[in-house]
């Protein structure tokens, strides 16, 4: 498997698509720093904003990159040749997964280093204060695992779907579903249990919100939402959130489940 991983990484670094993705992330870092100036460098949310933007843009880039990277293996017949050469299906799957995780991690770190570097050079007063270093570290860890969980889902789909066009459409649809569904669920969870309306006489009246989710239903929706990219982004933004460790565990569960299911289906596929 070591040789497969090295070969995949070499192919990834040499690809034009990787450098195109890197250029997009560096440009995103520049735009993010310029756009975040109005927040103010002393505001802790300034650094959080830098962390978040890259994590929102990168999964969309990875939908294309993963589909093309793995789809090329299928279209060139490389996957079948690897099996003929004696590599197991799990080794092939694992090597592709490791390469994709390495790429998404490298792209995000490149974005973050560029964003922080530009902020230190261009934004007066920007500092990573000691008070917020612990929380920033937790946010960074959560974002990295969130990116890994999305990428593992994309890899699973692309390893199962040998057609590059179908795989690209599938991973983009999956990402948009997670993004839009998570956003709608987050808005639903943000609704108050009681809201204020006004009577005919103009007096404020507190009324119960009938669409408010409570009890077990709310816990289920909250758990599912926390597993989506937008749900985790909301958790990162929320100050004082104590659920970062739980969210990382959710991501690890997604990575493990997607890898296990994708590997099992790929093992049974007919590569002819």
């Amino acid at each position: 498997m070591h040789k497969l991983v090295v070969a995949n990484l070499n192919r990834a670094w040499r690809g034009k698509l990787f450098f195109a993705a890197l250029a997009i992330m560096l440009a995103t870092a520049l735009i993010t720093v310029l756009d975040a100036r109005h927040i103010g460098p002393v505001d802790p949310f300034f650094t959080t904003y830098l962390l978040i933007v890259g994590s929102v843009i990168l999964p969309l880039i990875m939908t294309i990159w993963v589909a093309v990277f793995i789809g090329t293996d299928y279209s060139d017949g490389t996957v079948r040749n690897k099996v003929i050469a004696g590599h197991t299906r799990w080794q092939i799957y694992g090597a592709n997964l490791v390469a994709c995780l390495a790429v998404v991690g490298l792209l995000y770190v490149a974005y973050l280093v560029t964003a922080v570097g530009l902020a230190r050079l261009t934004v007066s007063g920007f500092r990573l204060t000691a008070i917020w270093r612990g929380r920033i570290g937790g946010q960074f860890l959560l974002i990295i695992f969130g990116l890994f969980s999305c990428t593992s889902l994309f890899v699973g789909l692309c390893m199962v779907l040998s057609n590059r066009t179908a795989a690209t459409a599938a991973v983009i649809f999956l990402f948009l579903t997670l993004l839009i569904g998570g956003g709608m669920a987050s808005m639903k969870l943000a609704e108050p249990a009681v809201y204020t309306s006004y009577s005919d006489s103009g007096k404020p009246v507190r009324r119960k919100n009938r669409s408010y989710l409570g009890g077990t239903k709310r816990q289920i929706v909250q758990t599912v939402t926390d597993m989506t990219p937008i749900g985790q982004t909301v958790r990162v933004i929320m100050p004082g959130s104590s659920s970062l460790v739980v969210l990382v565990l959710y991501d690890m569960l997604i990575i493990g489940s997607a890898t296990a299911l994708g590997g099992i289906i790929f093992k049974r596929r007919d590569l002819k």
Side-chain angles (χ1 to χ4, degrees):
M1 180 173 170
H2 172 72
K3 293 182 179 179
L4 289 177
V5 172
V6 172
N8 282 345
L9 291 176
N10 287 334
R11 183 163 66 92
W13 309 148
R14 296 173 182 174
K16 295 180 180 179
L17 192 60
F18 171 77
F19 289 101
L22 180 60
I24 293 174
M25 292 308 297
L26 296 182
T28 301
L30 175 60
I31 296 172
T32 301
V33 173
L34 295 176
D35 181 62
R37 289 184 174 186
H38 70 279
I39 298 176
V42 296
D43 189 332
F45 184 67
F46 181 87
T47 305
T48 300
Y49 184 75
L50 297 184
L51 288 168
I52 289 174
V53 175
S55 69
V56 175
I57 300 297
L58 187 52
L60 182 58
I61 295 175
M62 289 305 295
T63 59
I64 307 297
W65 192 92
V66 172
V68 173
F69 181 78
I70 296 179
T72 301
D73 253 7
Y74 275 112
S75 61
D76 293 346
T78 309
V79 174
R80 186 168 57 87
N81 292 338
K82 289 176 182 177
V83 174
I84 295 174
H87 298 289
T88 66
R89 300 286 186 101
W90 282 106
Q91 288 176 335
I92 296 171
Y93 189 102
N96 282 335
L97 178 62
V98 170
C100 292
L101 294 182
V103 167
V104 72
L106 180 60
L107 289 175
Y108 182 71
V109 170
Y111 156 83
L112 189 58
V113 170
T114 303
V116 172
L118 289 173
R120 290 182 66 88
L121 290 174
T122 61
V123 181
S124 177
F126 173 72
R127 294 290 185 275
L128 292 175
T129 60
I131 296 176
W132 284 88
R133 280 178 184 167
R135 177 164 175 79
I136 290 172
Q139 292 172 341
F140 174 77
L141 182 65
L142 173 59
I143 288 173
I144 285 293
F145 272 92
L147 292 172
F148 283 174
S149 67
C150 285
T151 304
S152 65
L153 290 172
F154 300 159
V155 171
L157 274 177
C158 292
M159 291 298 294
V160 171
L161 301 173
S162 57
N163 184 281
R164 184 160 53 186
T165 303
T168 303
V171 292
I172 291 177
F173 177 78
L174 172 62
F175 174 70
L176 292 178
T177 300
L178 292 173
L179 188 66
I180 296 173
M184 294 176 64
S186 296
M187 293 175 61
K188 186 70 175 178
L189 291 170
E191 291 187 7
V194 178
Y195 65 92
T196 302
S197 63
Y198 292 89
S199 62
D200 295 338
S201 61
K203 295 182 179 180
V205 179
R206 293 176 63 83
R207 302 182 186 276
K208 184 178 179 180
N209 186 358
R210 295 183 178 180
S211 62
Y212 176 79
L213 292 177
T216 304
K217 184 182 294 186
R218 183 176 186 84
Q219 291 298 325
I220 294 174
V221 174
Q222 182 68 70
T223 300
V224 174
T225 304
D226 286 345
M227 293 183 179
T228 65
I230 190 65
Q232 295 200 352
T233 299
V234 170
R235 287 295 191 178
V236 170
I237 295 174
M238 289 172 57
S241 175
S242 59
S243 59
L244 295 181
V245 175
V246 176
L247 296 179
V248 170
L249 292 177
Y250 285 158
D251 289 329
M252 294 176 66
L253 176 63
I254 293 173
I255 294 170
S257 301
T259 302
L261 181 60
I264 291 172
I265 297 176
F266 174 66
K267 187 177 180 180
R268 298 178 179 178
R269 284 210 62 227
D270 183 3
L271 298 180
K272 295 180 180 180

